[in-house]
Amino acid sequence: MAVISFLKSVDIFKGLSDDQLNKIQAGCRDLEYQIGNRLFAEGEKSDRVWIVLSGQVDLRFDLPGRSSSEENTIFSITTGNTLGWSSFVPPYQYKLSAYCASRTCKIIQIKNEFLLNLFENDAHMGFLVISNLTGVASTHFHRLQNSTTGPPPARRATE
């Protein structure tokens, strides 16, 4: 099970007290995946947060009717980073697919319903987590934007 020292290092839990992290730990579920295993698929209902405990998870844009490929990787998530921010944002669907990209991935999974119940009882905890979560979403969007735009085309000199 997740330990408080690790949860302190997780991007969305920055600034939480040990007491708050103990409450979150009660809702943590440890999972393990093998290379190539899919954690979730684009378009599926997003109702949990995923935290990489060890290994690497690739977020991919899967093309309809085709097998998933590393070539479709938008970016990778590693230890202490979070996936599943869309479980707090309508329409509550994953925007990309997630795959284990290392020999094994150890994951902590927390249902968003569990977290929302904690937030109802501790508004400060909810404020910190959701504030941190917006930072995670922003980072994902910037990485996505950078992966699709690339450098500007070279200009030709005109005479």
Side-chain angles (χ1 to χ4, degrees), residues 1 23 29 33 39-40 76 87 92 105 112-113 118-119 125 130 134 141 154:
M1 187 52 72
K23 290 175 184 172
R29 179 177 170 211
Y33 293 86
L39 283 68
F40 56 80
S76 300
S87 66
Y92 311 104
C105 294
N112 69 334
E113 183 179 344
L118 290 178
F119 301 165
M125 178 196 301
I130 296 301
T134 59
F141 280 125

Side-chain angles (χ1 to χ4, degrees), residues 17 19-20 23 117-127:
S17 69
D19 182 53
Q20 291 168 323
K23 290 175 184 172
N117 285 333
L118 290 178
F119 301 165
E120 283 183 24
N121 295 317
D122 185 342
H124 186 257
M125 178 196 301
F127 173 78

Side-chain angles (χ1 to χ4, degrees), residues 12 40 44-50 82-95 110-113 115-116 119 130 133:
I12 65 168
F40 56 80
E44 286 181 351
K45 180 182 178 184
S46 177
D47 63 354
R48 45 201 81 203
V49 172
W50 308 70
T82 307
L83 305 105
W85 58 265
S86 54
S87 66
F88 294 100
V89 182
Y92 311 104
Q93 292 179 323
Y94 294 115
K95 307 302 179 205
I110 311 170
K111 290 185 177 182
N112 69 334
E113 183 179 344
L115 289 172
L116 291 172
F119 301 165
I130 296 301
L133 201 59

